[in-house]
Short mmCIF file of all heavy atoms in Angstrom, two decimals:
data_model
loop_
_atom_site.label_atom_id
_atom_site.label_comp_id
_atom_site.label_asym_id
_atom_site.label_seq_id
_atom_site.Cartn_x
_atom_site.Cartn_y
_atom_site.Cartn_z
N ASP A 27 -21.79 -8.04 -15.18
CA ASP A 27 -20.66 -7.73 -16.07
C ASP A 27 -21.04 -6.83 -17.24
O ASP A 27 -20.22 -6.60 -18.13
CB ASP A 27 -20.00 -9.02 -16.58
CG ASP A 27 -20.97 -9.94 -17.32
OD1 ASP A 27 -22.11 -9.51 -17.60
OD2 ASP A 27 -20.58 -11.09 -17.60
N VAL A 29 -21.23 -3.71 -17.42
CA VAL A 29 -20.73 -2.34 -17.25
C VAL A 29 -19.66 -2.07 -18.31
O VAL A 29 -19.20 -2.96 -19.02
CB VAL A 29 -20.15 -2.11 -15.84
CG1 VAL A 29 -21.25 -2.23 -14.79
CG2 VAL A 29 -19.01 -3.08 -15.54
N ALA A 38 -2.40 6.44 -23.09
CA ALA A 38 -3.24 5.89 -24.16
C ALA A 38 -4.49 5.28 -23.54
O ALA A 38 -4.39 4.48 -22.61
CB ALA A 38 -2.47 4.85 -24.95
N GLU A 46 -15.07 -7.88 -22.14
CA GLU A 46 -13.85 -8.05 -22.94
C GLU A 46 -12.59 -8.23 -22.08
O GLU A 46 -11.50 -8.44 -22.61
CB GLU A 46 -13.64 -6.83 -23.84
CG GLU A 46 -14.72 -6.61 -24.90
CD GLU A 46 -14.49 -5.32 -25.66
OE1 GLU A 46 -13.46 -5.20 -26.36
OE2 GLU A 46 -15.34 -4.41 -25.54
N LEU A 50 -8.19 -8.70 -22.72
CA LEU A 50 -7.26 -7.62 -22.44
C LEU A 50 -6.13 -8.04 -21.50
O LEU A 50 -5.12 -7.37 -21.41
CB LEU A 50 -8.02 -6.43 -21.83
CG LEU A 50 -9.06 -5.79 -22.76
CD1 LEU A 50 -10.01 -4.90 -21.97
CD2 LEU A 50 -8.37 -4.99 -23.86
N PRO A 63 -16.43 -10.05 2.92
CA PRO A 63 -17.85 -9.89 2.66
C PRO A 63 -18.34 -8.53 3.15
O PRO A 63 -17.72 -7.91 4.02
CB PRO A 63 -18.48 -11.02 3.48
CG PRO A 63 -17.56 -11.16 4.65
CD PRO A 63 -16.17 -10.87 4.12
N SER A 83 -18.30 0.67 11.46
CA SER A 83 -17.18 0.72 10.52
C SER A 83 -16.19 -0.42 10.70
O SER A 83 -15.90 -1.16 9.76
CB SER A 83 -16.45 2.06 10.66
OG SER A 83 -15.40 2.17 9.73
N ALA A 92 -15.62 0.93 15.91
CA ALA A 92 -15.57 2.29 15.37
C ALA A 92 -16.87 2.54 14.64
O ALA A 92 -17.26 1.75 13.77
CB ALA A 92 -14.38 2.44 14.42
N GLY A 113 -19.43 9.70 26.04
CA GLY A 113 -20.45 9.31 27.00
C GLY A 113 -21.85 9.31 26.44
O GLY A 113 -22.78 8.84 27.10
N GLY A 134 -10.09 14.06 13.57
CA GLY A 134 -11.46 14.56 13.55
C GLY A 134 -12.36 13.67 14.38
O GLY A 134 -11.93 12.69 14.98
N LEU A 150 -26.59 -6.54 13.53
CA LEU A 150 -26.46 -6.20 12.11
C LEU A 150 -27.26 -7.17 11.24
O LEU A 150 -27.93 -6.75 10.28
CB LEU A 150 -24.99 -6.21 11.68
CG LEU A 150 -24.05 -5.25 12.40
CD1 LEU A 150 -22.67 -5.25 11.74
CD2 LEU A 150 -24.61 -3.84 12.45
N ARG A 151 -27.18 -8.46 11.55
CA ARG A 151 -27.92 -9.45 10.75
C ARG A 151 -29.42 -9.23 10.84
O ARG A 151 -30.15 -9.36 9.86
CB ARG A 151 -27.57 -10.87 11.21
CG ARG A 151 -26.22 -11.36 10.74
CD ARG A 151 -26.06 -12.86 10.98
NE ARG A 151 -26.13 -13.19 12.39
CZ ARG A 151 -25.07 -13.24 13.21
NH1 ARG A 151 -23.86 -12.96 12.72
NH2 ARG A 151 -25.21 -13.55 14.48
N HIS A 153 -31.14 -6.34 12.11
CA HIS A 153 -31.70 -5.00 11.94
C HIS A 153 -30.91 -4.12 10.97
O HIS A 153 -31.33 -3.00 10.68
CB HIS A 153 -31.76 -4.29 13.31
CG HIS A 153 -32.58 -5.01 14.33
ND1 HIS A 153 -33.96 -5.09 14.26
CD2 HIS A 153 -32.22 -5.71 15.45
CE1 HIS A 153 -34.40 -5.79 15.29
NE2 HIS A 153 -33.37 -6.17 16.03
N TYR A 161 -26.57 9.33 -3.67
CA TYR A 161 -26.62 9.23 -5.12
C TYR A 161 -27.34 7.96 -5.59
O TYR A 161 -27.63 7.81 -6.77
CB TYR A 161 -25.21 9.29 -5.72
CG TYR A 161 -24.22 8.33 -5.11
CD1 TYR A 161 -24.23 6.98 -5.43
CD2 TYR A 161 -23.28 8.78 -4.20
CE1 TYR A 161 -23.34 6.10 -4.86
CE2 TYR A 161 -22.37 7.90 -3.62
CZ TYR A 161 -22.40 6.57 -3.95
OH TYR A 161 -21.52 5.70 -3.38
N GLN A 166 -31.10 -1.56 -1.30
CA GLN A 166 -30.94 -2.80 -2.05
C GLN A 166 -30.72 -3.95 -1.07
O GLN A 166 -30.20 -3.75 0.02
CB GLN A 166 -29.73 -2.70 -2.99
CG GLN A 166 -29.83 -1.61 -4.05
CD GLN A 166 -30.73 -2.01 -5.20
OE1 GLN A 166 -31.16 -3.15 -5.31
NE2 GLN A 166 -31.01 -1.06 -6.08
N THR A 196 -18.47 -12.11 -12.66
CA THR A 196 -19.43 -13.20 -12.51
C THR A 196 -18.66 -14.51 -12.48
O THR A 196 -17.49 -14.58 -12.86
CB THR A 196 -20.41 -13.22 -13.68
OG1 THR A 196 -19.67 -13.44 -14.90
CG2 THR A 196 -21.18 -11.89 -13.80
N GLU A 202 -13.77 -18.14 -17.36
CA GLU A 202 -13.10 -17.85 -18.63
C GLU A 202 -11.68 -17.35 -18.39
O GLU A 202 -10.74 -17.75 -19.10
CB GLU A 202 -13.88 -16.83 -19.45
CG GLU A 202 -13.20 -16.54 -20.79
CD GLU A 202 -13.93 -15.55 -21.66
OE1 GLU A 202 -15.08 -15.19 -21.34
OE2 GLU A 202 -13.35 -15.13 -22.69
N THR A 214 -7.53 -10.51 2.01
CA THR A 214 -8.68 -9.96 2.71
C THR A 214 -8.31 -8.62 3.31
O THR A 214 -7.27 -8.49 3.95
CB THR A 214 -9.15 -10.91 3.83
OG1 THR A 214 -9.46 -12.19 3.28
CG2 THR A 214 -10.39 -10.36 4.52
N GLU A 223 -18.05 13.05 2.70
CA GLU A 223 -17.99 14.51 2.64
C GLU A 223 -16.57 15.05 2.80
O GLU A 223 -16.14 15.95 2.07
CB GLU A 223 -18.88 15.11 3.75
CG GLU A 223 -20.38 14.88 3.54
CD GLU A 223 -20.83 13.51 4.03
OE1 GLU A 223 -20.13 12.88 4.83
OE2 GLU A 223 -21.91 13.07 3.58
N ARG A 232 -8.16 -3.94 9.09
CA ARG A 232 -7.65 -5.30 9.28
C ARG A 232 -7.46 -5.99 7.94
O ARG A 232 -8.29 -5.86 7.04
CB ARG A 232 -8.63 -6.10 10.14
CG ARG A 232 -8.69 -5.65 11.58
CD ARG A 232 -9.83 -6.30 12.33
NE ARG A 232 -9.72 -7.76 12.33
CZ ARG A 232 -10.74 -8.57 12.63
NH1 ARG A 232 -11.92 -8.06 12.92
NH2 ARG A 232 -10.57 -9.88 12.63
N ALA A 245 5.91 -15.87 -7.33
CA ALA A 245 6.17 -16.71 -8.50
C ALA A 245 5.79 -16.01 -9.79
O ALA A 245 6.50 -16.09 -10.80
CB ALA A 245 5.40 -18.02 -8.36
N SER A 266 0.87 -3.65 1.89
CA SER A 266 1.16 -3.71 3.33
C SER A 266 1.98 -4.94 3.69
O SER A 266 2.63 -4.98 4.74
CB SER A 266 -0.14 -3.69 4.14
OG SER A 266 -0.83 -2.47 3.95
N ASP A 271 12.25 -4.82 0.17
CA ASP A 271 12.88 -5.55 -0.94
C ASP A 271 11.88 -5.92 -2.03
O ASP A 271 12.23 -6.56 -3.02
CB ASP A 271 13.57 -6.81 -0.42
CG ASP A 271 12.61 -7.73 0.34
OD1 ASP A 271 11.40 -7.40 0.45
OD2 ASP A 271 13.07 -8.78 0.83
N VAL A 273 9.43 -8.01 -1.75
CA VAL A 273 8.95 -9.38 -1.59
C VAL A 273 7.70 -9.37 -0.70
O VAL A 273 7.71 -8.76 0.38
CB VAL A 273 10.03 -10.29 -0.99
CG1 VAL A 273 9.47 -11.68 -0.70
CG2 VAL A 273 11.23 -10.37 -1.92
N ALA A 276 3.56 -13.51 3.90
CA ALA A 276 2.28 -13.68 4.60
C ALA A 276 2.22 -12.73 5.79
O ALA A 276 3.17 -12.64 6.57
CB ALA A 276 2.12 -15.12 5.06
N VAL A 293 4.81 -3.70 -5.56
CA VAL A 293 4.40 -5.00 -6.09
C VAL A 293 3.43 -4.87 -7.26
O VAL A 293 3.53 -5.57 -8.26
CB VAL A 293 3.74 -5.85 -4.97
CG1 VAL A 293 3.29 -7.20 -5.52
CG2 VAL A 293 4.69 -6.02 -3.80
N GLU A 305 -11.83 14.33 -5.25
CA GLU A 305 -11.10 14.63 -4.03
C GLU A 305 -10.67 13.38 -3.27
O GLU A 305 -9.95 13.47 -2.28
CB GLU A 305 -11.96 15.50 -3.09
CG GLU A 305 -12.42 16.82 -3.69
CD GLU A 305 -13.72 16.70 -4.46
OE1 GLU A 305 -14.18 15.56 -4.70
OE2 GLU A 305 -14.27 17.73 -4.86
N LEU A 309 -7.54 8.42 -5.35
CA LEU A 309 -6.85 8.91 -6.56
C LEU A 309 -5.36 9.05 -6.34
O LEU A 309 -4.58 8.92 -7.30
CB LEU A 309 -7.46 10.25 -7.00
CG LEU A 309 -8.85 10.16 -7.64
CD1 LEU A 309 -9.29 11.52 -8.12
CD2 LEU A 309 -8.87 9.15 -8.78
#
Side-chain angles (χ1 to χ4, degrees):
D27 57 9
V29 295
E46 297 175 64
L50 296 165
S83 182
L150 300 188
R151 284 192 297 270
H153 301 290
Y161 51 77
Q166 298 283 351
T196 61
E202 181 179 350
T214 303
E223 292 83 19
R232 291 170 59 197
S266 296
D271 56 1
V273 175
V293 179
E305 302 88 350
L309 287 184

